[in-house]
Amino acid sequence: MPEGATSADLERIQVNLDTEKIRSWHSIVTLIVFVLTNLVVLCPFHIPVYLPRLLVDSFLRSLSALRIIAPRPNRTQDASKSERRTKDTSLVRFNFPLNFITAPLIAVLFLLVILAIGREEVHDGTVGVNHISPLDIMAFFLSLAYIALSIDASGLIRFLAFKVLQKGGSVGRRLYLYLYLFFFGLTAFIGNDPIILSGTPFLAYMTRMSSNITHPRAWIFTQFAVANIASAILVSSNPTNLVLAGAFSIKFIDYTANIIIPVIATVIILFPFLLYFIFADKELIPLSIKMHELPEEARGTEPINPNIPYARGREVGVDQENPYGESTNISSLEEVMNPFIDKFSAVFGTVVMSATLITLLALNAAGGGGKHPVFWITLPAAFIMFCWDIGVGWYNRKHTRGIARKGREDLERARAEQRAVCEEGLAAHVTEKPYISDSSVTSPHLTAPHGDIDSSEDRNLQDRIARQISLQDDRGPATLESTSSDAYEWTRETFPTATIVIAHLPFTLVPFAFCMFVLVQALVTKGWVPVFAHGWDHWVDRTGTVGAIGGMGFLSVVLSNFAGTNIGTAILLSRVIQAWQDIHMLNSVPISARTFWATVYSAALGLNYGAFSASFSASLAGLLWRDILARKNIHVGSLEFARVNVSIISISMVVGCVVLVGQVYVIRGKEAYDA
């Protein structure tokens, strides 16, 4: 019997490693559902659902009668005659999304209905088992994310990026290097989500404002890659790191000490490849960057707080109508060259984040993994940061409400002007003045009538604008929907920072992660994870430590793209490695410390680096990055994403794994791994 293992432990291990379970139909269905779920996460789509219009209208009228929603306009008045002739109006189409949120949830519910899983899988997949506690991980990640996003909302990242831009000057390669190091260092400290949220728009604006950067590809792909490389350094920077550290009881300081050398080596060696080979085109990274100048009248203006709703007034409507217009370019240039920063909130947030991370590292190192959940530290820190944001918002409420009110009035007037101009063909009047001959210029009896006509039509236009504004203000009786909308607008105007941070918190990660934990636990209880673990054991027996590093690095990158993002892959691979440990414990054949830790840390490299590989869905950060770029009118296709990243991920993984091989042979021996 292995040292430290009781007969009860061995009996439990023997039951968990029983591979005969895979012959049952429940087990086969579970595997099929898991694979299909991951395919849907990789390629999301919508399912059209048709409901009887009579049923839908009755339901909406009931909600309207209960004052939950506003009364709907008469459909027959809105629909054109041709639309009513060509479309079947007896049915209403709804598009039900199947994506990374709905697909895992439906999969879990389906397995519960057919009794393929039960209380055990749901409990172990949410509360936790074998040192993996999903509840603790989610609480830790969300609370730390609040602090990081609050620092971002203070404008610190945009301000520091602006200073880096100033430091780099007009020398293209020097600026590229400075931004490369800046994004790496900042991500290592606060994680990749805030860098994606602020760094991506900054680069989109910066490259648009340059007259000789033909495409932002080099800058945005580099930022995304280096942010995910840096997220491997601290346990707190990525949920995948939390899963690995929890599964194998790794102290936070030990994790960083073992992963930092391969990461630093990757960053150093990757840069010249990016600069001289992958993005060697001088139109992507010019030798000298020519930036548009900020207009003189805009240089002395107070920076606009982007957290305040309608802060830019009518520029919001103009940007939506013409995203490449002159007004948009000036707004974009102001975002880059005149950034907003709340200095007090930035300093306070930095102090809170630093104190939290130092406390985490110190207590975790002293406590050997900690007797209490780590969110006991991050949750109070997040609450302190939340109270600060609320306090600052309330203190400045008159100022922020005034900005929001003025901006909303400007936007409403701009929209009313557009509607009024379009009404009764007035667009022609606005864009084109009546023709006046040369003789009319010198003839008093001809110029007067034209002036009267213009002033009369201008008065009519102003009257129509006033009428459109009054129509906008007249919203009818209050409903639950309108009251909720007003309450949300009030919070945005009164507490802009707290509201925007909460809105950006990755809450969608919670149902996705819990469902993936449950699905992976179903694979464990149905015998599939032991099958995978036996396959991994045979691979390591044949290839040794070097094969373990290469194999686990390859698996973690590939599965990140096809097994429910890198979070789902982290959960699955952690269970496989734990089952691999159980196989050796049951056979009384210990795993060497060198091979075991080589496997774990190569998985850490692959799970972080895998985010920039073949598909956006390899990580939630990839999906966020794509959506932000699309909002800035930069559209990155799936093929382009894979084509550009294949070189970056190849170089990064080869460098990281080679350095890791050398590291484990230097600091690890052949002695048995002691769990």
Side-chain angles (χ1 to χ4, degrees):
M1 182 182 295
E3 184 179 354
T6 64
S7 57
D9 290 335
L10 293 179
E11 184 178 352
R12 176 188 58 80
I13 291 172
Q14 196 164 11
V15 171
N16 289 338
L17 295 179
D18 182 13
T19 57
E20 292 298 318
K21 299 176 185 177
I22 65 173
R23 299 179 184 273
S24 69
W25 72 271
H26 275 158
S27 180
I28 296 172
V29 170
T30 299
L31 180 62
I32 293 174
V33 168
F34 181 79
V35 172
L36 291 177
T37 301
N38 288 304
L39 288 176
V40 172
V41 172
L42 176 64
C43 303
F45 58 94
H46 290 80
I47 296 179
V49 178
Y50 293 92
L51 296 177
R53 183 173 296 278
L54 181 62
L55 178 64
V56 174
D57 288 345
S58 299
F59 179 70
L60 293 177
R61 280 196 295 268
S62 300
L63 294 180
S64 177
L66 294 172
R67 301 279 290 276
I68 296 176
I69 63 173
R72 300 182 69 209
N74 191 340
R75 182 182 59 84
T76 57
Q77 294 177 357
D78 295 336
S80 65
K81 292 181 179 180
S82 60
E83 185 180 21
R84 291 199 297 271
R85 282 197 305 266
T86 57
K87 293 188 178 181
D88 181 9
T89 58
S90 63
L91 296 175
V92 179
R93 173 173 171 164
F94 295 94
N95 290 322
F96 183 80
L98 279 178
N99 50 32
F100 73 95
I101 300 174
T102 57
L105 180 59
I106 292 173
V108 170
L109 294 176
F110 174 75
L111 293 177
L112 284 170
V113 169
I114 66 172
L115 301 180
I117 61 174
R119 180 186 179 279
E120 178 187 358
E121 288 83 2
V122 175
H123 174 274
D124 294 347
T126 52
V127 178
V129 68
N130 288 351
H131 307 293
I132 298 180
S133 177
L135 282 173
D136 293 352
I137 292 172
M138 289 298 100
F140 173 85
F141 180 71
L142 288 176
S143 55
L144 201 64
Y146 183 91
I147 304 173
L149 292 174
S150 182
I151 294 174
D152 173 37
S154 71
L156 179 62
I157 297 176
R158 289 185 295 271
F159 180 77
L160 292 177
F162 167 65
K163 290 300 180 182
V164 171
L165 181 62
Q166 284 185 321
K167 188 75 174 177
S170 60
V171 182
R173 291 179 175 178
R174 183 173 64 191
L175 177 60
Y176 184 72
L177 172 62
Y178 285 176
L179 288 174
Y180 183 84
L181 296 175
F182 167 72
F183 287 128
F184 173 77
L186 209 56
T187 302
F189 178 62
I190 64 175
N192 59 0
D193 278 351
I195 300 302
I196 299 298
L197 281 170
S198 274
T200 306
F202 175 85
L203 291 177
Y205 291 140
M206 187 201 79
T207 53
R208 182 187 295 175
M209 292 305 103
S210 170
S211 59
N212 60 337
I213 297 179
T214 59
H215 196 283
R217 183 184 303 114
W219 306 84
I220 59 177
F221 275 91
T222 298
Q223 176 242 4
F224 185 66
V226 77
N228 284 285
I229 292 172
S231 68
I233 294 179
L234 293 181
V235 172
S236 57
S237 296
N238 198 317
T240 60
N241 304 340
L242 292 169
V243 173
L244 289 176
F248 306 109
S249 302
I250 306 174
K251 295 180 182 179
F252 288 7
I253 191 70
D254 289 342
Y255 173 89
T256 300
N258 281 278
I259 203 71
I260 193 169
I261 294 177
V263 170
I264 295 296
T266 302
V267 170
I268 293 174
I269 297 176
L270 178 63
F271 179 77
F273 278 95
L274 292 173
L275 185 59
Y276 297 110
F277 295 97
I278 300 175
F279 303 122
D281 191 341
K282 292 182 180 180
E283 292 186 346
L284 298 177
I285 307 176
L287 295 177
S288 177
I289 297 179
K290 300 175 183 178
M291 297 289 292
H292 295 295
E293 294 291 332
L294 194 64
E296 192 68 35
E297 62 272 12
R299 294 180 183 178
T301 59
E302 183 181 354
I304 297 174
N305 184 351
N307 302 322
I308 302 174
Y310 314 110
R312 293 192 176 274
R314 67 170 59 216
E315 290 180 12
V316 176
V318 172
D319 292 356
Q320 292 173 349
E321 293 294 328
N322 184 13
Y324 294 103
E326 181 180 356
S327 175
T328 306
N329 290 335
I330 295 176
S331 300
S332 302
L333 197 57
E334 281 190 272
E335 288 272 353
V336 175
M337 308 303 293
N338 191 23
F340 166 82
I341 182 171
D342 181 351
K343 296 180 181 179
F344 293 106
S345 294
V347 171
F348 185 81
T350 303
V351 170
V352 170
M353 176 64 88
S354 302
T356 302
L357 293 178
I358 292 172
T359 305
L360 274 174
L361 293 172
L363 293 182
N364 188 265
K371 296 180 180 179
H372 302 293
V374 287
F375 75 84
W376 284 24
I377 300 171
T378 58
L379 194 58
F383 181 72
I384 292 172
M385 196 72 227
F386 175 74
C387 291
W388 171 271
D389 292 337
I390 292 294
V392 170
W394 186 253
Y395 180 79
N396 296 317
R397 66 189 184 279
K398 292 183 179 179
H399 178 64
T400 56
R401 287 174 181 172
I403 294 175
R405 181 172 57 254
K406 183 179 182 302
R408 184 169 53 249
E409 290 172 353
D410 289 346
L411 180 59
E412 289 175 352
R413 181 168 183 83
R415 289 173 176 171
E417 288 174 358
Q418 291 175 356
R419 293 192 183 98
V421 165
C422 294
E423 194 177 79
E424 297 182 6
L426 280 179
H429 163 76
V430 175
T431 58
E432 190 174 301
K433 290 291 182 183
Y435 174 77
I436 302 176
S437 65
D438 292 340
S439 60
S440 66
V441 174
T442 58
S443 177
H445 69 276
L446 288 176
T447 55
H450 281 295
D452 293 340
I453 292 173
D454 284 349
S455 61
S456 175
E457 290 184 347
D458 285 342
R459 284 195 298 272
N460 290 335
L461 177 60
Q462 294 301 323
D463 292 340
R464 288 189 175 89
I465 292 173
R467 186 169 66 252
Q468 290 291 341
I469 293 176
S470 65
L471 289 174
Q472 291 179 5
D473 294 338
D474 184 15
R475 302 188 302 173
T479 62
L480 179 61
E481 180 187 26
S482 64
T483 303
S484 301
S485 177
D486 291 343
Y488 179 65
E489 287 298 311
W490 182 86
T491 58
R492 290 181 66 197
E493 296 172 5
T494 308
F495 310 109
T497 300
T499 305
I500 203 73
V501 170
I502 292 175
H504 284 154
L505 280 176
F507 289 116
T508 54
L509 175 63
V510 177
F512 168 75
F514 280 145
C515 291
M516 290 305 300
F517 273 112
V518 173
L519 289 175
V520 171
Q521 193 59 34
L523 295 180
V524 174
T525 58
K526 295 299 175 287
W528 289 109
V529 165
V531 170
F532 303 152
H534 279 290
W536 174 251
D537 187 46
H538 289 310
W539 169 263
V540 174
D541 284 344
R542 290 177 177 271
T543 61
T545 301
V546 175
I549 291 176
M552 185 55 69
F554 177 79
L555 280 177
S556 55
V557 170
V558 172
L559 290 178
S560 292
N561 293 276
F562 303 104
T565 77
N566 53 1
I567 299 173
T569 302
I571 300 166
L572 177 60
L573 292 180
S574 295
R575 294 300 191 202
V576 170
I577 296 173
Q578 287 177 336
W580 178 47
Q581 290 178 274
D582 291 342
I583 291 171
H584 281 262
M585 180 178 290
L586 191 63
N587 296 333
S588 299
V589 179
I591 308 172
S592 71
R594 176 183 294 165
T595 302
F596 178 81
W597 290 116
T599 300
V600 171
Y601 287 113
S602 62
L605 287 176
L607 291 169
N608 284 275
Y609 292 10
F612 56 94
S613 50
S615 67
F616 296 109
S617 60
S619 69
L620 297 181
L623 299 172
L624 177 64
W625 180 77
R626 179 193 61 186
D627 293 343
I628 292 174
L629 287 175
R631 289 198 293 270
K632 304 303 176 186
N633 294 287
I634 299 175
H635 300 282
V636 180
S638 299
L639 290 179
E640 181 186 6
F641 184 81
R643 179 179 58 81
V644 175
N645 279 324
V646 66
S647 302
I648 303 176
I649 186 63
S650 300
I651 297 168
S652 300
M653 284 304 298
V654 168
V655 171
C657 288
V658 167
V659 173
L660 184 60
V661 168
Q663 177 178 296
V664 295
Y665 271 94
V666 170
I667 67 174
R668 302 286 182 184
K670 294 183 178 180
E671 69 276 5
Y673 163 69
D674 183 12

